[in-house]
Amino acid sequence: MKRKRSILVVDDNAMNRELLSEILSDEYSVIEAENGEEAYRLLEEYQNKISLVLLDLVMPVLDGYGFLDRIKKDRRLATLPIIVMTGKGADDEEVRALDRGATDFVHKPYNAQVIRRRVASLIRLRETASYIDQYQYDRLTGLCTKEYFCELAEEMITGHPEKEYDIICFDIENFKLYNDIYGAEAGDRLLVLIADKMRTGRENNSGIVLNGRKIADRFISLVERGRVNEDMIRRSVDYICRENDTGSVVRIAFGAYQIEDRSIPVEKMIDRALMAASRIKKDYQKVYAVYDDDVRTHMLRERAISQEMEHSVETECFEVYFQPKFRFDNGRLAGAEALVRWEHPKLGIISPAEFIQIFEKNGFISRLDKYVWTRTCKQIREWKDRGLKIVPVSVNVSRANLYQEDLAGRIEELVAGFELDKSLLHLEITESYYMENSGKVLTSVEKLWNNGFVIELDDFGNGYSSLHMLSRMKLDFVKLDRQFIACQLEDRDKNGILKYTIEIVHNMGIGVIAEGVETREQAEMLKSMGCDLVQGYYYGKPMPAVEFEKLLTGR
Ligand code: C2E
Ligand code: CA
Ligand code: CA
């Protein structure tokens, strides 16, 4: 049954209270008070459970006017509807009461119909208003919601054609991990801290016109062109790293969209700013990127790459390089990662960082992956035949492949075809936002694991990683992402997230590989934190098979 709303009737005359109670009690639960003092106490007691007050003006102890004055000062009660009850013809009483904050009035003697209707409409009005309030402002941070932000931003942009604006968006990297490790409440406090910083920025006239929260850890601002610069952003991020109560390093990537065409919907502008931000996610030295309208050049390049890919596989323009992995404890070679290289006769050397993304979009990645797996197996077979003491090689398995039926069976067949043991081909899979929601991917990984393949979770700590995922997946190793490591190790005293992540992963019985280690300092810190394996330029770059062989024979 629906809970009845509560109405507070304040009158020193018991007969009047009874009468009103009778009129209203079918629809509402009626609470009674004899004077303003008692009424105020009841409001405190019931907090915001009272929907409306019916108020007599002349009462002992504290009269209606005194009560209105007190309510006015109390911000929590500012929106509470109050109907004053006056005698017929007491116009100046009404005016005085309205002046002091009453919402409406009714005359004595009471007309049941009129009272019911007024009460109902005032309650409805207030509730819609507070609904609007919810729609406009985000509960947690008090910033504008995305919808309201878009509305206001559009008004600003079209209302001030003489001014130039940018949309700036940012989100916290590893926010999920932050929540996992420090708890959701600490995560909320971090969001509030950021929102407060944004508000202060606006109040201090720093060029911020409007702030909002898009969703979760994504924030948006409308700023005057050129007023918010990289320096300011860096200082704000430093502040957030310093002031958050966990003392953890927080990395935030900012993207800007410079508004030229004012007819584009604000939502689209936000998407573009976020796109710019996502481009620097792989580069922790940068905090700020601008969306350039160079989409055309981008598209042309993408098309050229897509046109050449098939032919390049057929003519074996793709090479497989090997990057060694070592054990931290005894420094011995423990394995390698197979990384594809593309040397195109016309386009030159194209970085996987560029083409893998494109192949993931156009679907060609499944084909390329299989090509790399086959080449890798062939290479291992050859080394074995030549009597070299081989190590397992990890290959990358892209997401598209994880969606394919019977992936486990196919890889098994491939390995068997070269008469190799399954333990020699490790599989690196990349976690993503979608993974958490995709039972299919999890099943696929589980199947591979059950079939005896060693599974490594790639790029952990980058973007959407969560520790929760690890418990849902069958895994042997977690590979810590290069940027994640670098960013966390940057500040010696503040490597909480990294240290805890390693600890928790170990506690789950999963091994830890540090990736992209470039300096001795990094290596020593990671070793002291208990990482098992290491891969990175400091130990060895990706190299052609003939180079890598030297490491095999040199053991
Ligand atoms: P990944 O799987 O995370 O591979 C590691 C990347 O980090 C490689 O870049 C490697 O060369 C680089 N790296 C290793 N150590 C260091 C270091 O100390 N410092 C720095 N700065 N970088 C280091 P690469 O080869 O350019 O590959 C980029 C990405 O392309 C890979 O990231 C992977 O996601 C993808 N990729 C490469 N080969 C394949 C493939 O055969 N199949 C699939 N699906 N993806 C591939
Ligand atoms: Ca990898
Ligand atoms: Ca990786």
PDB file of all heavy atoms in Angstrom, residues 323 337 339-341 352-353 356 365 369 372 396 398 428 458-459 482 515-518 536-537 542, ligand 1:
ATOM      1  N   GLN A 323      59.678 -10.022 -27.865  1.00  0.00           N
ATOM      2  CA  GLN A 323      60.244  -9.245 -26.761  1.00  0.00           C
ATOM      3  C   GLN A 323      60.366 -10.166 -25.541  1.00  0.00           C
ATOM      4  O   GLN A 323      59.392 -10.792 -25.131  1.00  0.00           O
ATOM      5  CB  GLN A 323      59.337  -8.057 -26.405  1.00  0.00           C
ATOM      6  CG  GLN A 323      59.960  -7.170 -25.339  1.00  0.00           C
ATOM      7  CD  GLN A 323      59.120  -5.934 -24.996  1.00  0.00           C
ATOM      8  OE1 GLN A 323      57.888  -5.958 -25.091  1.00  0.00           O
ATOM      9  NE2 GLN A 323      59.786  -4.873 -24.587  1.00  0.00           N
ATOM     10  N   GLU A 337      56.999 -12.161 -25.752  1.00  0.00           N
ATOM     11  CA  GLU A 337      55.713 -11.765 -26.325  1.00  0.00           C
ATOM     12  C   GLU A 337      55.914 -11.573 -27.823  1.00  0.00           C
ATOM     13  O   GLU A 337      56.887 -10.935 -28.247  1.00  0.00           O
ATOM     14  CB  GLU A 337      55.199 -10.457 -25.711  1.00  0.00           C
ATOM     15  CG  GLU A 337      53.896  -9.999 -26.390  1.00  0.00           C
ATOM     16  CD  GLU A 337      53.244  -8.772 -25.752  1.00  0.00           C
ATOM     17  OE1 GLU A 337      53.831  -8.192 -24.818  1.00  0.00           O
ATOM     18  OE2 GLU A 337      52.142  -8.412 -26.218  1.00  0.00           O
ATOM     19  N   LEU A 339      55.054  -9.774 -31.085  1.00  0.00           N
ATOM     20  CA  LEU A 339      54.457  -8.492 -31.459  1.00  0.00           C
ATOM     21  C   LEU A 339      54.605  -8.281 -32.960  1.00  0.00           C
ATOM     22  O   LEU A 339      55.679  -8.479 -33.524  1.00  0.00           O
ATOM     23  CB  LEU A 339      55.135  -7.355 -30.698  1.00  0.00           C
ATOM     24  CG  LEU A 339      54.842  -7.332 -29.195  1.00  0.00           C
ATOM     25  CD1 LEU A 339      55.915  -6.582 -28.427  1.00  0.00           C
ATOM     26  CD2 LEU A 339      53.457  -6.745 -28.913  1.00  0.00           C
ATOM     27  N   VAL A 340      53.515  -7.916 -33.574  1.00  0.00           N
ATOM     28  CA  VAL A 340      53.529  -7.828 -35.034  1.00  0.00           C
ATOM     29  C   VAL A 340      54.157  -6.511 -35.496  1.00  0.00           C
ATOM     30  O   VAL A 340      54.073  -5.490 -34.822  1.00  0.00           O
ATOM     31  CB  VAL A 340      52.083  -7.995 -35.573  1.00  0.00           C
ATOM     32  CG1 VAL A 340      51.232  -6.793 -35.235  1.00  0.00           C
ATOM     33  CG2 VAL A 340      52.078  -8.282 -37.060  1.00  0.00           C
ATOM     34  N   ARG A 341      54.856  -6.573 -36.640  1.00  0.00           N
ATOM     35  CA  ARG A 341      55.455  -5.376 -37.255  1.00  0.00           C
ATOM     36  C   ARG A 341      55.038  -5.329 -38.721  1.00  0.00           C
ATOM     37  O   ARG A 341      54.992  -6.361 -39.382  1.00  0.00           O
ATOM     38  CB  ARG A 341      56.986  -5.454 -37.165  1.00  0.00           C
ATOM     39  CG  ARG A 341      57.516  -5.387 -35.738  1.00  0.00           C
ATOM     40  CD  ARG A 341      57.281  -3.991 -35.147  1.00  0.00           C
ATOM     41  NE  ARG A 341      57.671  -3.866 -33.754  1.00  0.00           N
ATOM     42  CZ  ARG A 341      56.838  -3.954 -32.726  1.00  0.00           C
ATOM     43  NH1 ARG A 341      55.557  -4.211 -32.919  1.00  0.00           N
ATOM     44  NH2 ARG A 341      57.270  -3.803 -31.495  1.00  0.00           N
ATOM     45  N   PRO A 352      51.995  -0.672 -34.829  1.00  0.00           N
ATOM     46  CA  PRO A 352      50.791  -1.411 -34.400  1.00  0.00           C
ATOM     47  C   PRO A 352      49.841  -0.532 -33.602  1.00  0.00           C
ATOM     48  O   PRO A 352      48.632  -0.707 -33.657  1.00  0.00           O
ATOM     49  CB  PRO A 352      51.326  -2.553 -33.535  1.00  0.00           C
ATOM     50  CG  PRO A 352      52.791  -2.391 -33.454  1.00  0.00           C
ATOM     51  CD  PRO A 352      53.222  -1.289 -34.344  1.00  0.00           C
ATOM     52  N   ALA A 353      50.412   0.432 -32.886  1.00  0.00           N
ATOM     53  CA  ALA A 353      49.558   1.317 -32.108  1.00  0.00           C
ATOM     54  C   ALA A 353      48.535   1.995 -33.025  1.00  0.00           C
ATOM     55  O   ALA A 353      47.430   2.321 -32.611  1.00  0.00           O
ATOM     56  CB  ALA A 353      50.397   2.366 -31.399  1.00  0.00           C
ATOM     57  N   ILE A 356      46.469  -1.583 -35.372  1.00  0.00           N
ATOM     58  CA  ILE A 356      45.663  -2.562 -34.628  1.00  0.00           C
ATOM     59  C   ILE A 356      44.269  -1.986 -34.353  1.00  0.00           C
ATOM     60  O   ILE A 356      43.249  -2.639 -34.541  1.00  0.00           O
ATOM     61  CB  ILE A 356      46.341  -2.954 -33.293  1.00  0.00           C
ATOM     62  CG1 ILE A 356      47.656  -3.699 -33.553  1.00  0.00           C
ATOM     63  CG2 ILE A 356      45.402  -3.782 -32.411  1.00  0.00           C
ATOM     64  CD1 ILE A 356      47.529  -5.103 -34.044  1.00  0.00           C
ATOM     65  N   ILE A 365      41.291  -7.776 -37.680  1.00  0.00           N
ATOM     66  CA  ILE A 365      42.159  -8.200 -36.593  1.00  0.00           C
ATOM     67  C   ILE A 365      42.125  -9.721 -36.367  1.00  0.00           C
ATOM     68  O   ILE A 365      43.150 -10.336 -36.067  1.00  0.00           O
ATOM     69  CB  ILE A 365      41.819  -7.442 -35.284  1.00  0.00           C
ATOM     70  CG1 ILE A 365      42.895  -7.660 -34.223  1.00  0.00           C
ATOM     71  CG2 ILE A 365      40.472  -7.833 -34.740  1.00  0.00           C
ATOM     72  CD1 ILE A 365      44.204  -7.047 -34.515  1.00  0.00           C
ATOM     73  N   ASP A 369      45.530 -11.767 -36.277  1.00  0.00           N
ATOM     74  CA  ASP A 369      45.890 -12.523 -35.078  1.00  0.00           C
ATOM     75  C   ASP A 369      46.241 -13.962 -35.443  1.00  0.00           C
ATOM     76  O   ASP A 369      47.272 -14.485 -35.014  1.00  0.00           O
ATOM     77  CB  ASP A 369      44.722 -12.531 -34.080  1.00  0.00           C
ATOM     78  CG  ASP A 369      44.799 -11.353 -33.116  1.00  0.00           C
ATOM     79  OD1 ASP A 369      45.750 -10.554 -33.244  1.00  0.00           O
ATOM     80  OD2 ASP A 369      43.918 -11.233 -32.260  1.00  0.00           O
ATOM     81  N   VAL A 372      49.549 -14.214 -36.983  1.00  0.00           N
ATOM     82  CA  VAL A 372      50.636 -14.089 -36.004  1.00  0.00           C
ATOM     83  C   VAL A 372      50.770 -15.371 -35.178  1.00  0.00           C
ATOM     84  O   VAL A 372      51.879 -15.859 -34.940  1.00  0.00           O
ATOM     85  CB  VAL A 372      50.416 -12.864 -35.079  1.00  0.00           C
ATOM     86  CG1 VAL A 372      51.453 -12.817 -33.971  1.00  0.00           C
ATOM     87  CG2 VAL A 372      50.450 -11.578 -35.881  1.00  0.00           C
ATOM     88  N   ASN A 396      48.984 -12.206 -28.662  1.00  0.00           N
ATOM     89  CA  ASN A 396      47.824 -11.378 -28.321  1.00  0.00           C
ATOM     90  C   ASN A 396      46.557 -11.956 -28.954  1.00  0.00           C
ATOM     91  O   ASN A 396      46.569 -12.354 -30.117  1.00  0.00           O
ATOM     92  CB  ASN A 396      48.032  -9.947 -28.812  1.00  0.00           C
ATOM     93  CG  ASN A 396      49.088  -9.241 -27.985  1.00  0.00           C
ATOM     94  OD1 ASN A 396      48.860  -8.886 -26.833  1.00  0.00           O
ATOM     95  ND2 ASN A 396      50.274  -9.085 -28.561  1.00  0.00           N
ATOM     96  N   SER A 398      42.824 -10.793 -29.713  1.00  0.00           N
ATOM     97  CA  SER A 398      41.990  -9.594 -29.628  1.00  0.00           C
ATOM     98  C   SER A 398      40.558  -9.972 -29.275  1.00  0.00           C
ATOM     99  O   SER A 398      40.155 -11.129 -29.359  1.00  0.00           O
ATOM    100  CB  SER A 398      42.030  -8.830 -30.933  1.00  0.00           C
ATOM    101  OG  SER A 398      41.394  -9.615 -31.895  1.00  0.00           O
ATOM    102  N   GLU A 428      47.504 -13.741 -24.444  1.00  0.00           N
ATOM    103  CA  GLU A 428      47.276 -12.458 -23.776  1.00  0.00           C
ATOM    104  C   GLU A 428      45.945 -11.906 -24.231  1.00  0.00           C
ATOM    105  O   GLU A 428      45.727 -11.678 -25.415  1.00  0.00           O
ATOM    106  CB  GLU A 428      48.379 -11.443 -24.145  1.00  0.00           C
ATOM    107  CG  GLU A 428      49.710 -11.805 -23.556  1.00  0.00           C
ATOM    108  CD  GLU A 428      50.740 -10.674 -23.686  1.00  0.00           C
ATOM    109  OE1 GLU A 428      50.355  -9.543 -24.042  1.00  0.00           O
ATOM    110  OE2 GLU A 428      51.924 -10.959 -23.429  1.00  0.00           O
ATOM    111  N   ASP A 458      46.080  -8.751 -20.208  1.00  0.00           N
ATOM    112  CA  ASP A 458      46.961  -7.672 -20.678  1.00  0.00           C
ATOM    113  C   ASP A 458      46.498  -6.298 -20.193  1.00  0.00           C
ATOM    114  O   ASP A 458      45.321  -6.103 -19.893  1.00  0.00           O
ATOM    115  CB  ASP A 458      46.930  -7.685 -22.214  1.00  0.00           C
ATOM    116  CG  ASP A 458      48.216  -7.154 -22.805  1.00  0.00           C
ATOM    117  OD1 ASP A 458      49.080  -6.685 -22.051  1.00  0.00           O
ATOM    118  OD2 ASP A 458      48.346  -7.221 -24.054  1.00  0.00           O
ATOM    119  N   ASP A 459      47.423  -5.365 -20.156  1.00  0.00           N
ATOM    120  CA  ASP A 459      47.105  -3.942 -19.938  1.00  0.00           C
ATOM    121  C   ASP A 459      46.303  -3.673 -18.671  1.00  0.00           C
ATOM    122  O   ASP A 459      45.454  -2.783 -18.641  1.00  0.00           O
ATOM    123  CB  ASP A 459      46.311  -3.375 -21.129  1.00  0.00           C
ATOM    124  CG  ASP A 459      47.133  -3.420 -22.399  1.00  0.00           C
ATOM    125  OD1 ASP A 459      48.368  -3.561 -22.304  1.00  0.00           O
ATOM    126  OD2 ASP A 459      46.544  -3.349 -23.486  1.00  0.00           O
ATOM    127  N   ARG A 482      51.968  -0.512 -18.827  1.00  0.00           N
ATOM    128  CA  ARG A 482      53.144   0.357 -18.728  1.00  0.00           C
ATOM    129  C   ARG A 482      52.837   1.734 -18.139  1.00  0.00           C
ATOM    130  O   ARG A 482      53.513   2.216 -17.232  1.00  0.00           O
ATOM    131  CB  ARG A 482      53.755   0.530 -20.122  1.00  0.00           C
ATOM    132  CG  ARG A 482      54.925   1.491 -20.183  1.00  0.00           C
ATOM    133  CD  ARG A 482      55.599   1.433 -21.538  1.00  0.00           C
ATOM    134  NE  ARG A 482      54.765   2.010 -22.568  1.00  0.00           N
ATOM    135  CZ  ARG A 482      54.792   3.309 -22.917  1.00  0.00           C
ATOM    136  NH1 ARG A 482      55.616   4.137 -22.311  1.00  0.00           N
ATOM    137  NH2 ARG A 482      54.015   3.759 -23.856  1.00  0.00           N
ATOM    138  N   GLU A 515      55.014  -4.728 -17.152  1.00  0.00           N
ATOM    139  CA  GLU A 515      55.254  -4.484 -18.573  1.00  0.00           C
ATOM    140  C   GLU A 515      55.808  -3.083 -18.795  1.00  0.00           C
ATOM    141  O   GLU A 515      55.506  -2.164 -18.037  1.00  0.00           O
ATOM    142  CB  GLU A 515      53.921  -4.633 -19.307  1.00  0.00           C
ATOM    143  CG  GLU A 515      54.033  -4.553 -20.792  1.00  0.00           C
ATOM    144  CD  GLU A 515      52.699  -4.853 -21.455  1.00  0.00           C
ATOM    145  OE1 GLU A 515      51.668  -4.368 -20.968  1.00  0.00           O
ATOM    146  OE2 GLU A 515      52.712  -5.557 -22.455  1.00  0.00           O
ATOM    147  N   GLY A 516      56.621  -2.928 -19.839  1.00  0.00           N
ATOM    148  CA  GLY A 516      57.093  -1.596 -20.200  1.00  0.00           C
ATOM    149  C   GLY A 516      58.039  -0.988 -19.184  1.00  0.00           C
ATOM    150  O   GLY A 516      58.048   0.223 -18.974  1.00  0.00           O
ATOM    151  N   VAL A 517      58.853  -1.825 -18.549  1.00  0.00           N
ATOM    152  CA  VAL A 517      59.788  -1.303 -17.557  1.00  0.00           C
ATOM    153  C   VAL A 517      60.991  -0.699 -18.280  1.00  0.00           C
ATOM    154  O   VAL A 517      61.643  -1.359 -19.089  1.00  0.00           O
ATOM    155  CB  VAL A 517      60.225  -2.422 -16.590  1.00  0.00           C
ATOM    156  CG1 VAL A 517      61.300  -1.938 -15.650  1.00  0.00           C
ATOM    157  CG2 VAL A 517      59.007  -2.916 -15.826  1.00  0.00           C
ATOM    158  N   GLU A 518      61.266   0.555 -17.992  1.00  0.00           N
ATOM    159  CA  GLU A 518      62.281   1.273 -18.762  1.00  0.00           C
ATOM    160  C   GLU A 518      63.515   1.664 -17.959  1.00  0.00           C
ATOM    161  O   GLU A 518      64.538   2.020 -18.538  1.00  0.00           O
ATOM    162  CB  GLU A 518      61.657   2.536 -19.386  1.00  0.00           C
ATOM    163  CG  GLU A 518      60.627   2.200 -20.457  1.00  0.00           C
ATOM    164  CD  GLU A 518      60.020   3.427 -21.125  1.00  0.00           C
ATOM    165  OE1 GLU A 518      60.088   4.523 -20.547  1.00  0.00           O
ATOM    166  OE2 GLU A 518      59.489   3.272 -22.240  1.00  0.00           O
ATOM    167  N   GLY A 536      60.274  -5.246 -20.795  1.00  0.00           N
ATOM    168  CA  GLY A 536      60.404  -3.815 -21.052  1.00  0.00           C
ATOM    169  C   GLY A 536      61.738  -3.469 -21.687  1.00  0.00           C
ATOM    170  O   GLY A 536      62.662  -4.289 -21.705  1.00  0.00           O
ATOM    171  N   TYR A 537      61.826  -2.249 -22.205  1.00  0.00           N
ATOM    172  CA  TYR A 537      63.032  -1.816 -22.908  1.00  0.00           C
ATOM    173  C   TYR A 537      64.276  -1.948 -22.043  1.00  0.00           C
ATOM    174  O   TYR A 537      65.363  -2.179 -22.544  1.00  0.00           O
ATOM    175  CB  TYR A 537      62.888  -0.356 -23.357  1.00  0.00           C
ATOM    176  CG  TYR A 537      61.875  -0.135 -24.451  1.00  0.00           C
ATOM    177  CD1 TYR A 537      61.539   1.159 -24.861  1.00  0.00           C
ATOM    178  CD2 TYR A 537      61.262  -1.209 -25.102  1.00  0.00           C
ATOM    179  CE1 TYR A 537      60.606   1.379 -25.857  1.00  0.00           C
ATOM    180  CE2 TYR A 537      60.330  -0.998 -26.090  1.00  0.00           C
ATOM    181  CZ  TYR A 537      60.002   0.305 -26.470  1.00  0.00           C
ATOM    182  OH  TYR A 537      59.081   0.520 -27.459  1.00  0.00           O
ATOM    183  N   PRO A 542      61.447  -5.374 -28.385  1.00  0.00           N
ATOM    184  CA  PRO A 542      60.983  -6.393 -29.329  1.00  0.00           C
ATOM    185  C   PRO A 542      62.024  -6.532 -30.448  1.00  0.00           C
ATOM    186  O   PRO A 542      62.537  -5.508 -30.930  1.00  0.00           O
ATOM    187  CB  PRO A 542      59.679  -5.810 -29.869  1.00  0.00           C
ATOM    188  CG  PRO A 542      59.229  -4.818 -28.849  1.00  0.00           C
ATOM    189  CD  PRO A 542      60.484  -4.270 -28.257  1.00  0.00           C
TER     190      PRO A 542
HETATM  191  P1  C2E B   1      50.749  -4.608 -25.882  1.00  0.00           P
HETATM  192  O1  C2E B   1      50.175  -5.946 -26.097  1.00  0.00           O
HETATM  193  O2  C2E B   1      50.509  -3.979 -24.552  1.00  0.00           O
HETATM  194  O3  C2E B   1      52.281  -4.759 -26.159  1.00  0.00           O
HETATM  195  C1  C2E B   1      53.272  -4.090 -25.495  1.00  0.00           C
HETATM  196  C2  C2E B   1      53.687  -2.883 -26.226  1.00  0.00           C
HETATM  197  O4  C2E B   1      54.589  -2.123 -25.406  1.00  0.00           O
HETATM  198  C3  C2E B   1      54.470  -3.174 -27.495  1.00  0.00           C
HETATM  199  O5  C2E B   1      54.207  -2.105 -28.394  1.00  0.00           O
HETATM  200  C4  C2E B   1      55.900  -3.082 -27.029  1.00  0.00           C
HETATM  201  O6  C2E B   1      56.797  -2.819 -28.072  1.00  0.00           O
HETATM  202  C5  C2E B   1      55.803  -1.941 -26.081  1.00  0.00           C
HETATM  203  N1  C2E B   1      56.852  -1.937 -25.070  1.00  0.00           N
HETATM  204  C6  C2E B   1      57.455  -2.984 -24.480  1.00  0.00           C
HETATM  205  N2  C2E B   1      58.346  -2.593 -23.578  1.00  0.00           N
HETATM  206  C7  C2E B   1      58.313  -1.242 -23.575  1.00  0.00           C
HETATM  207  C8  C2E B   1      59.016  -0.232 -22.831  1.00  0.00           C
HETATM  208  O7  C2E B   1      59.852  -0.497 -21.971  1.00  0.00           O
HETATM  209  N3  C2E B   1      58.721   1.054 -23.097  1.00  0.00           N
HETATM  210  C9  C2E B   1      57.808   1.380 -24.044  1.00  0.00           C
HETATM  211  N4  C2E B   1      57.577   2.669 -24.258  1.00  0.00           N
HETATM  212  N5  C2E B   1      57.120   0.478 -24.747  1.00  0.00           N
HETATM  213  C10 C2E B   1      57.368  -0.831 -24.514  1.00  0.00           C
HETATM  214  P2  C2E B   1      53.850  -2.395 -29.888  1.00  0.00           P
HETATM  215  O8  C2E B   1      54.645  -3.559 -30.380  1.00  0.00           O
HETATM  216  O9  C2E B   1      53.943  -1.102 -30.582  1.00  0.00           O
HETATM  217  O10 C2E B   1      52.363  -2.865 -29.813  1.00  0.00           O
HETATM  218  C11 C2E B   1      51.374  -2.001 -29.445  1.00  0.00           C
HETATM  219  C12 C2E B   1      50.098  -2.747 -29.213  1.00  0.00           C
HETATM  220  O11 C2E B   1      49.612  -3.295 -30.418  1.00  0.00           O
HETATM  221  C13 C2E B   1      50.258  -3.946 -28.296  1.00  0.00           C
HETATM  222  O12 C2E B   1      50.236  -3.567 -26.976  1.00  0.00           O
HETATM  223  C14 C2E B   1      49.069  -4.776 -28.691  1.00  0.00           C
HETATM  224  O13 C2E B   1      47.918  -4.305 -28.045  1.00  0.00           O
HETATM  225  C15 C2E B   1      48.954  -4.500 -30.143  1.00  0.00           C
HETATM  226  N6  C2E B   1      49.555  -5.618 -30.875  1.00  0.00           N
HETATM  227  C16 C2E B   1      50.830  -5.804 -31.265  1.00  0.00           C
HETATM  228  N7  C2E B   1      50.935  -6.980 -31.926  1.00  0.00           N
HETATM  229  C17 C2E B   1      49.709  -7.543 -31.945  1.00  0.00           C
HETATM  230  C18 C2E B   1      49.159  -8.757 -32.484  1.00  0.00           C
HETATM  231  O14 C2E B   1      49.837  -9.611 -33.071  1.00  0.00           O
HETATM  232  N8  C2E B   1      47.833  -8.961 -32.296  1.00  0.00           N
HETATM  233  C19 C2E B   1      47.048  -8.089 -31.622  1.00  0.00           C
HETATM  234  N9  C2E B   1      45.771  -8.351 -31.458  1.00  0.00           N
HETATM  235  N10 C2E B   1      47.533  -6.940 -31.121  1.00  0.00           N
HETATM  236  C20 C2E B   1      48.842  -6.673 -31.268  1.00  0.00           C
END
